[in-house]
Amino acid sequence: MRTLSAKIHDLLTGLFLARADARIYACVRMAFALVALMNLLMLWPHRGSFLTDVGMIDQELTRQTYRWPYLTVFDWCRDLTSVSVVMIGAGTAMLMLLAGWLPRLAALAIYVWHVSYAARGVTALCGWDTVLRCVSFLVLVSPLPAVWTLTKKRAEAPEAPCYGLTLIRFQLLVIYWQTVLDRLDSQFWLSGEFMGYYLLSHNARWPVAWVADFDLTLRALTYLILIVEVALPVMLMTRRWHRAGLLIGFLFHFGIFVTSNNLLMFLLAMMVLYAAFLRSEDIDWLTRQARRLLGTSDARQGADQKVRKSRTSRAS
Amino acid sequence: MAATPHRFRDRCILFFGTVHLAFLAVSILPRPWTESIGVGTVTHAYEATTTCLQDWSMFETIPNIHHLDVRLIVESPGTAPQRLGMRLPGLRPYPQPEHARYRNWATLVLLRQDRSDQREPYMRRVAAELLKSGRYPPEATVRLDCEAWYTRSLLGVRKLREIAVLRPTSMGPFRLADLAPVTPQATNP
């Protein structure tokens, strides 16, 4: 009879060291780089307000009250020119990560950027900044296999240990489940009135008084959101339901984006986490669709199918 | 099939993965809960190390605030009050429709007490910028007007057909010279 410790060991080995398709890491890497770049570009016009010493946030007070050790490159870069240089450097690192060129170095630079601007602009942060900061740490410590890169082709590593994907997946679970538990304290959620208030709030894209007339629908929607947030991580983690989970998750965040002002970045940041739930068969399907759209059915497709078949036979 | 964790690298992965997963597992509980069961200190320390803040109480202000506008009012002796934008540098207007980052700044710094310590340095910078522009004398005063529209109850919205009620607040007026003392001109010895 196997001991409990052996079972735990097997469980952890399966969670962290099982082999994962390297293309999933490539998807996460590229999605993260693109979204981080978009966030940087959207912050660029406001860098003077939030990241310089002539802006709206006092650095010395922030240093004194910051919850963690105040580590930021903006301790040295305080004027508009040097802040611009830092941002250009971070943007370059994001392009490098997107292209897969020196990816570990690029991931480190991007992590430093996220930690730095979060410390300096602490009173102007949004939910997606926190999501991106968590992902930047996980991308930094994850395998970054040389798959789908623009750099000189090396021997491809078709598989990598899955710990990075596992942790990103659990990160999504924490976001949803902690949010739901936190709402158990909120009268607006428990009474089912939240969606009514949401659609009248500063976040709403079209706040109109007649929304309040649909009381029953809005209550049902409020409770449905809680159910979806509890169910999504479970769906995404099961083979049978993960595609439905991907679709429902996308529709859920797209719905938030459509009904809200300013939440495009939140949709995109969450989609980076969703990329970690892709499976080999999803990527095969997406690749086939992309090729069909581009009209390129080349010999490479046959090679991919052979690799997939051999993987399937090994797995079985 | 999982690889056998013989190598040092695999052991490191297992260790890090287990620690981070345990951190995430605890982080499912909201912050007040983790503090009440006594693991708050450990999770704080790990958060500080990795900077992976796990505080997902998003959309806190939603049920209350319908709309926000912030502006500066400058009055020079003998002239009519002038309305200026509040964004530094450049005194550009508070963006409409609202921009999430400026709204979060205004909510934290002006409406709530969380970061009220930032108010005074902000007003000092405003005064310095106004004086630097050369258009206002040191005796001029500046006031920050914050127009917050608070959402009515849903019952009230249904009955009155009015979404929100304005509750303006002001900071000031303050003399520019008091906020940003004019440095004496350098004189030749």
Side-chain angles (χ1 to χ4, degrees):
Chain A
M1 192 177 152
R2 298 173 66 215
T3 60
L4 182 65
S5 66
K7 282 181 184 172
I8 291 173
H9 184 266
D10 284 355
L11 175 72
L12 293 176
T13 306
L15 274 174
F16 301 126
L17 294 176
R19 312 308 289 175
D21 190 332
R23 294 174 303 169
I24 306 172
Y25 278 112
C27 283
V28 172
R29 186 196 83 221
M30 291 192 295
F32 170 65
L34 266 179
V35 174
L37 184 61
M38 274 191 72
N39 187 41
L40 181 135
L41 291 175
M42 290 172 90
L43 184 57
W44 176 267
H46 311 290
R47 66 196 186 286
S49 295
F50 301 127
L51 302 178
T52 66
D53 276 2
V54 291
M56 295 161 59
I57 303 172
D58 187 84
Q59 177 142 230
E60 295 316 312
L61 272 177
T62 304
R63 186 200 313 280
Q64 287 164 26
T65 54
Y66 198 56
R67 67 170 88 198
W68 300 324
Y70 186 74
L71 299 170
T72 171
V73 294
F74 298 111
D75 220 355
W76 302 288
C77 306
R78 292 164 171 259
D79 60 293
L80 192 65
T81 311
S82 54
V83 167
S84 302
V85 170
V86 169
M87 290 183 79
I88 291 168
T92 309
M94 287 159 198
L95 289 173
M96 283 166 61
L97 188 68
L98 183 66
W101 185 55
L102 300 175
R104 190 71 61 193
L105 184 66
L108 178 64
I110 296 168
Y111 175 67
V112 170
W113 154 251
H114 279 106
V115 172
S116 292
Y117 87 78
R120 181 68 185 92
V122 67
T123 49
L125 295 184
C126 301
W128 62 82
D129 294 310
T130 317
V131 175
L132 288 176
R133 194 165 71 245
C134 289
V135 178
S136 74
F137 173 73
L138 293 173
V139 167
L140 176 64
V141 298
S142 290
L144 294 168
V147 174
W148 292 349
T149 64
L150 291 182
T151 54
K152 196 178 169 186
K153 203 158 178 88
R154 284 183 282 166
E156 249 182 40
E159 290 178 334
C162 68
Y163 67 94
L165 298 175
T166 300
L167 294 177
I168 294 174
R169 289 168 184 168
F170 275 94
Q171 180 60 70
L172 184 93
L173 180 145
V174 172
I175 292 174
Y176 284 140
W177 286 12
Q178 192 204 83
T179 309
V180 171
L181 288 176
D182 194 52
R183 287 168 185 167
L184 296 180
D185 270 349
S186 164
Q187 50 160 331
F188 297 103
W189 283 93
L190 292 182
S191 65
E193 288 184 318
F194 179 84
M195 275 312 291
Y197 283 107
Y198 183 83
L199 294 174
L200 298 172
S201 74
H202 56 68
N203 260 82
R205 196 181 290 272
W206 306 287
V208 282
W210 56 258
V211 163
D213 295 338
F214 297 88
D215 185 41
L216 202 63
T217 314
L218 293 171
R219 280 175 200 270
L221 199 56
T222 303
Y223 295 127
L224 183 66
I225 287 171
L226 293 176
I227 293 166
V228 165
E229 285 181 329
V230 170
L232 267 175
V234 180
M235 291 177 76
L236 287 163
M237 285 187 193
T238 52
R239 182 172 287 276
R240 185 174 177 190
W241 293 101
H242 88 278
R243 278 197 185 176
L246 288 171
L247 182 66
I248 293 171
F250 173 75
L251 291 175
F252 173 55
H253 286 284
F254 189 73
I256 295 174
F257 159 67
V258 167
T259 53
S260 316
N261 264 328
N262 291 316
L263 291 185
L264 172 66
M265 282 312 303
F266 184 59
L267 162 72
L268 297 175
M270 291 304 287
M271 288 305 109
V272 175
L273 295 168
Y274 274 76
F277 288 92
L278 289 171
R279 291 169 186 257
S280 297
E281 54 268 31
D282 303 324
I283 296 179
D284 289 338
W285 183 82
L286 287 169
T287 314
R288 276 200 304 278
Q289 298 307 313
R291 284 199 176 120
R292 192 171 295 168
L293 273 175
L294 297 169
T296 55
S297 178
D298 54 7
R300 173 87 185 137
Q301 191 173 353
D304 281 356
Q305 278 172 351
K306 274 183 193 170
V307 170
R308 199 171 63 250
K309 271 182 190 168
S310 70
R311 269 188 209 147
T312 315
S313 59
R314 259 189 293 154
S316 61
Chain B
M1 193 177 151
T4 320
H6 285 312
R7 290 182 296 149
F8 176 71
R9 183 171 165 272
D10 288 351
R11 287 179 192 277
C12 290
I13 290 172
L14 272 183
F15 176 74
F16 164 72
T18 308
V19 169
H20 199 82
L21 191 65
F23 163 68
L24 289 176
V26 173
S27 301
I28 290 172
L29 302 176
R31 196 168 289 269
W33 299 22
T34 55
E35 276 161 15
S36 68
I37 59 171
V39 292
T41 319
V42 181
T43 52
H44 282 253
Y46 190 79
E47 268 183 354
T49 312
T50 60
T51 68
C52 289
L53 174 65
Q54 301 294 331
D55 193 358
W56 305 107
S57 55
M58 289 175 274
F59 308 140
E60 275 177 341
T61 59
I62 284 165
N64 302 321
I65 300 171
H66 166 67
H67 182 70
L68 199 62
D69 197 6
V70 188
R71 63 178 71 98
L72 295 165
I73 307 293
V74 186
E75 283 189 66
S76 299
T79 60
Q82 252 190 304
R83 184 174 153 164
L84 294 175
M86 51 70 73
R87 285 157 64 191
L88 292 177
L91 299 170
R92 288 162 297 157
Y94 184 80
Q96 297 292 353
E98 288 185 65
H99 185 286
R101 294 194 188 280
Y102 290 97
R103 185 177 58 224
N104 287 353
W105 179 89
T107 305
L108 288 172
V109 175
L110 303 179
L111 294 184
R112 294 187 355 192
Q113 297 303 312
D114 307 40
R115 304 282 174 166
S116 55
D117 56 339
Q118 291 276 351
R119 288 177 194 166
E120 189 182 320
Y122 166 74
M123 289 305 286
R124 288 189 186 283
R125 280 187 199 164
V126 166
E129 182 131 350
L130 289 169
L131 287 172
K132 205 174 89 183
S133 73
R135 287 185 292 154
Y136 305 97
E139 306 80 49
T141 60
V142 62
R143 187 179 84 228
L144 183 88
D145 283 358
C146 183
E147 288 190 351
W149 291 79
Y150 287 86
T151 313
R152 286 188 176 281
S153 70
L154 292 181
L155 195 65
V157 175
R158 270 181 229 122
K159 275 191 175 174
L160 301 168
R161 293 285 141 192
E162 184 185 57
I163 297 175
V165 182
L166 174 64
R167 279 179 61 190
T169 51
S170 284
M171 214 167 32
F174 305 107
R175 280 178 71 241
L176 298 186
D178 294 339
L179 285 174
V182 185
T183 48
Q185 294 278 331
T187 50
N188 290 326

